[in-house]
Structure formats: C-alpha cells, structure tokens
Amino acid sequence: MSIKVRGFTLIEVVITVAIVALLATIAAPLAETVVRRGKEQDLKTALYQIRDAIDAYKFAADAGYIQKDAAGSGYPPSLEVLVEGARDLRSAAGDNIYFLRRIPRDPFADSRLEPALTWGLRSYQSPPDDPRPGNDVFDVHSLAPGTGLNGIPYREW
C-alpha cells in the first residue's frame, strides 16, 4: 500500500518566494515612476490651464472687454479673479466673463492648502530667472522641490 502525499517541498516554496520577491523588487521602482509621471502630467495640464486663462484675461483687458486699470499691465491681480470673473463691458446686463471654472491644484503640493496657495506667482515686473509676486499675475510656477523626469526642476516648468 503506497501513500501519495501531495504538496510542495520546502525547496519549491523557497524558490517561489524568492521569485516573487525578485519580481516585486523590479516592479516597485517602476510603479513609483508611473505615479510620478502621472503627477507630472497633471502639473503640465494645470500650468497650461492657468497660463491659458491668464492670457485670455490679458487679451480681454487689451481688447476693452473688461475693466483695465490705466496704470496696470492688464494681467489679473490674482488667480481668484480668473474664477470670480470680470464684468463684461460689452454687456448691458452687467454679465461677467469667466476665465477658469476652478483654480487647479499643484499635484505636488500639500493637499491641505487652498489651490491658489499651491502656486508660485510671477508679476509682470519680475524677471524670469527670479520670479516674484507683485501687483498682478503674469505667470505661475510650481513650488515643488525636485526635478522632473525630464531633468528640469519643477519650478522652471
């Protein structure tokens, strides 16, 4: 009478665990890169949306569609103005022109901050290599430390 024992030997279990551990070691950095690449794509999209809205505001101010301070640059005084809108001077009903539905959040910033506070602001008078806030918003940049997968610091995107 022979008894057939079914199961795995200790060697088979150890080899299987070693293979799974090796695969996990290879997959972990790849997963981190995929997550980082997704955040970088979100950052690119958010920067595009805000910059496009700033340009639309400037165009509307220069075209006379919205109120422009005579001494001002024509750029919005804050990011919030892009969401709140500006009075359309062509409208008899006093309608507003809106430039953004909401201010996008910097995906690398602290999630407890208001979206407008996650961006660094550059005024019209500020030099490009040393952006500083001022009376208007000419451009925005990420406040995130570090460098993107493309080798360019997030602050310079």
Side-chain angles (χ1 to χ4, degrees):
M1 171 183 267
S2 71
I3 299 175
K4 291 190 176 185
V5 179
R6 294 186 177 221
F8 298 105
T9 65
L10 181 60
I11 299 285
E12 291 171 329
V13 172
V14 169
I15 290 173
T16 303
V17 169
I19 290 172
V20 169
L22 179 68
L23 291 174
T25 304
I26 293 170
L30 181 62
E32 289 176 14
T33 302
V34 168
V35 169
R36 188 170 162 196
R37 190 173 313 239
K39 283 187 173 185
E40 287 185 2
Q41 185 60 41
D42 291 345
L43 175 61
K44 246 181 174 175
T45 302
L47 286 169
Y48 176 80
Q49 288 174 348
I50 294 173
R51 288 173 175 161
D52 190 45
I54 291 170
D55 291 343
Y57 186 98
K58 172 70 170 154
F59 175 80
D62 289 347
Y65 300 155
I66 61 174
Q67 185 78 26
K68 178 181 173 183
D69 186 14
S73 64
Y75 288 99
S78 68
L79 291 178
E80 288 83 3
V81 169
L82 299 173
V83 175
E84 295 165 1
R87 185 175 172 278
D88 187 352
L89 298 177
R90 301 167 299 167
S91 169
D95 295 331
N96 280 357
I97 299 175
Y98 300 96
F99 303 95
L100 276 176
R101 291 182 187 206
R102 62 175 180 76
I103 299 171
R105 173 183 301 284
D106 183 342
F108 290 101
D110 185 354
S111 62
R112 296 172 291 183
L113 293 174
E114 291 292 322
L117 299 177
T118 63
W119 300 104
L121 306 179
R122 175 181 169 214
S123 71
Y124 184 69
Q125 285 81 19
S126 175
D129 56 340
D130 186 23
R132 295 183 186 163
N135 296 333
D136 57 14
V137 180
F138 175 72
D139 195 13
V140 294
H141 62 272
S142 177
L143 296 174
T147 303
L149 294 172
N150 60 1
I152 300 172
Y154 294 126
R155 184 178 176 92
E156 296 176 15
W157 281 31

